[in-house]
Amino acid sequence: MNIDSLDPGIFGQTDHKIWLKLVERALKGKNFQEALVSRTDDGIAIEPLYQRRRDGKPLFRQRAELPWTVMQRMDDPDTERAIVQLGDDLANGASGISLVSSSSASAFGIGMDAQSPIFSEVLAAASAKTTTLRLDGFSSGVAKMAAASIVDGGAQRLHLGLDAFLTAVHFANFTSDIKYFKELKSVGSIVNADGRAVHNAGGTEAQELAVMAASLVGHLRLLEEAGLSPEAALAATSLCLSADQNQFVTTAKMRAARLIFTRIAEACGITDPRPAHLFAETSYRMLTRLDPETNILRNTIAVFSAGVGGADEIGVLPHSLTHGIPDPLARRLARNTQTILIAESHLDHVADPAAGAGGIEALTDALCERAWKIFTRIEGEGGLAKVISSGELAAMIAEARESRAARPIVGTTLFAMKTERPVTVLGPLGPIVGGMGLAPIRLDEGTEA
């Protein structure tokens, strides 16, 4: 049977007004807004029905013809054990490595110490065995070591992950180091415009995007001082965001990041900028301690959302991270969450399936508008560094966190287990550090005995 053989006259003509009358009848007196319209943490309304956006344009990954990079965290404080894990990760599906410093805002109680006697061996091994290497939270000195190993025949693509707003840096040295890195062809990006700390501290999606934008602009100024052209400065920047279990909002957030990047590029005089390089990491704040296996499901939705939203790289926090250093099984499940979606569901073959979808397009636009207002306010007050040092950013995020309505959490407050199963980890967590004056939280905190 062919769809064209159907008689279009079989179904009566209808419109939005007729649909609303049918809905009112089904609601039996209930308020339409209260029953069918939900709102994001930014207060953005999500309607139950949208018309197709016929002028929607796809927002592609930077390298749309390739699958996103499956990033595996290399973050075990035991450096010898980490090297063994590295070989297992790359032999079983990982296509990139994210080397996480213990001082990173995204370490969450683990991470590697650059002062370790054999850290140089770890760095050399990570560089030699993978095609994509990302540094997270390390100094420019470590970045120089990584760049040197690339020159000697290591990874083909290196993201240095330098961040003037998440780590304490000397700005004069920062610009000097940028001048060094810009000459290296193997460097994919030099700095991060990172909003993950905002998300994991309890901020809203618009706040996360706004801080990402403010970080981007702040780094562009530093890159300009180092002699980079606007085009080269944008190409030297990675956008970093968190992905959580809110599927449509996460997809819209990834798309909004690309639109904001394009608008900032246009403000720099670039009319047709190259797509941004976007790194997404699954949310720390959505992970639960009780019934941690449910975190696997949340991670799966987060990866799906980031993947179809156009992320270039995706990293997954293992489901047992709330209990301690993840064991090989937890790392394998984190890795396979991505490889299955790519190898079996072929999500990497689809370029921005949300383009033209009325609901997601509307949500994307609304997030852009809300984020841009917050971003311009940050810029009007002197930029991200001043908003951080004044404590205003922390206060803004705290207000958003406290005003968020409590929601049931599967496995913790909804369908909680009577008896918790034991969780295997390789060791305890260390202190959890924050960035930008923000401390990571989990949404299940306060619900456990």
Side-chain angles (χ1 to χ4, degrees):
M1 182 177 180
N2 191 304
I3 189 68
D4 295 329
S5 65
L6 291 175
D7 181 1
I10 292 176
F11 303 101
Q13 295 297 311
T14 187
D15 58 22
H16 194 257
K17 290 183 179 179
I18 295 175
W19 177 79
L20 280 176
K21 288 183 179 180
L22 294 172
V23 169
E24 289 174 1
R25 186 187 308 167
L27 289 176
K28 297 178 180 179
K30 294 181 180 178
N31 183 276
F32 175 87
Q33 291 288 328
E34 294 178 359
L36 296 181
V37 177
S38 61
R39 292 186 179 276
T40 71
D41 290 335
D42 288 295
I44 298 170
I46 300 179
E47 301 283 344
L49 185 69
Y50 290 86
Q51 290 187 340
R52 178 183 176 186
R53 181 78 65 82
R54 297 190 180 278
D55 61 348
K57 296 181 180 179
L59 303 172
F60 298 128
R61 292 193 296 270
Q62 192 174 86
R63 296 186 292 176
E65 73 283 2
L66 298 177
W68 72 76
T69 304
V70 178
M71 301 297 290
Q72 184 86 333
R73 285 165 62 99
M74 192 173 180
D75 55 5
D76 194 324
D78 186 322
T79 47
E80 294 182 356
R81 190 167 59 199
I83 292 178
V84 175
Q85 292 173 346
L86 172 67
D88 184 58
D89 295 336
L90 295 174
N92 293 284
S95 52
I97 294 296
S98 179
L99 192 61
V100 182
S101 168
S102 57
S103 61
S104 168
S106 299
F108 310 121
I110 50 180
M112 310 202 71
D113 182 4
Q115 304 304 316
S116 167
I118 65 169
F119 180 76
S120 59
E121 297 178 28
V122 172
L123 190 58
S127 172
K129 294 182 179 181
T130 183
T131 57
T132 301
L133 177 62
R134 171 175 289 277
L135 304 183
D136 191 332
F138 289 99
S139 67
S140 58
V142 173
K144 285 182 178 179
M145 291 169 57
S149 65
I150 298 294
V151 172
D152 292 337
Q156 299 172 12
R157 194 169 178 84
L158 172 65
H159 298 286
L160 300 176
L162 299 180
D163 195 318
F165 302 103
L166 275 173
T167 55
V169 299
H170 189 282
F171 282 84
N173 294 339
F174 193 78
T175 54
S176 174
D177 291 336
I178 289 170
K179 291 178 181 179
Y180 167 77
F181 292 126
K182 74 173 183 176
E183 304 297 333
L184 302 177
K185 295 181 180 180
S186 57
V187 173
S189 65
I190 299 173
V191 298
N192 283 345
D194 201 338
R196 290 175 295 169
V198 171
H199 170 89
N200 287 316
T204 69
E205 287 78 24
Q207 289 171 341
E208 182 183 3
L209 288 166
V211 168
M212 178 211 75
S215 177
L216 172 60
V217 169
H219 282 111
L220 290 180
R221 293 190 181 106
L222 292 173
L223 293 167
E224 183 182 29
E225 290 177 14
L228 272 68
S229 67
E231 293 87 347
L234 287 167
T237 307
S238 281
L239 308 182
C240 301
L241 295 171
S242 290
D244 67 14
Q245 79 286 356
N246 195 329
Q247 178 180 332
F248 296 135
V249 173
T250 294
T251 296
K253 181 171 70 174
M254 300 296 154
R255 301 179 79 250
R258 294 202 175 281
L259 292 176
I260 290 170
F261 178 88
T262 300
R263 185 169 178 182
I264 290 174
E266 290 171 348
C268 294
I270 305 170
T271 56
D272 188 20
R274 186 185 182 196
H277 183 85
L278 177 57
F279 170 67
E281 182 177 64
T282 57
S283 166
Y284 169 79
R285 82 180 193 196
M286 75 175 177
L287 297 181
T288 61
R289 183 171 175 81
L290 297 178
D291 198 5
E293 286 82 3
T294 57
N295 293 329
I296 300 171
L297 301 177
R298 285 184 271 270
N299 278 341
T300 302
I301 298 172
V303 171
F304 176 94
S305 306
V308 300
D312 296 280
E313 302 175 14
I314 302 177
V316 176
L317 300 180
H319 71 282
S320 61
L321 179 59
T322 54
H323 286 264
I325 301 171
D327 70 343
L329 176 60
R331 293 176 63 85
R332 177 187 174 190
L333 289 171
R335 188 172 60 243
N336 284 353
T337 300
Q338 298 199 61
T339 57
I340 290 174
L341 289 174
I342 290 175
E344 297 189 12
S345 299
H346 300 291
L347 290 187
D348 59 306
H349 285 51
V350 183
D352 193 13
I360 297 181
E361 290 279 14
L363 186 52
T364 300
D365 290 346
L367 281 173
C368 284
E369 292 172 6
R370 298 291 176 96
W372 197 260
K373 288 181 180 179
I374 300 171
F375 161 64
T376 53
R377 191 176 84 196
I378 292 172
E379 284 295 292
E381 295 180 7
L384 185 56
K386 288 190 176 180
V387 173
I388 293 171
S389 62
S390 70
E392 185 174 344
L393 178 64
M396 179 175 66
I397 303 307
E399 182 181 357
R401 183 173 64 244
E402 292 166 6
S403 64
R404 179 179 293 107
R407 299 186 181 95
I409 303 172
V410 173
T412 301
T413 56
L414 186 66
F415 311 120
M417 297 182 66
K418 293 182 179 180
T419 304
E420 286 291 311
R421 292 184 290 271
V423 179
T424 302
V425 294
L426 300 180
L429 298 174
I432 297 179
V433 299
M436 300 184 184
L438 306 173
I441 57 99
R442 296 200 317 275
L443 296 183
D444 70 340
E445 289 177 338
T447 63
E448 304 170 25

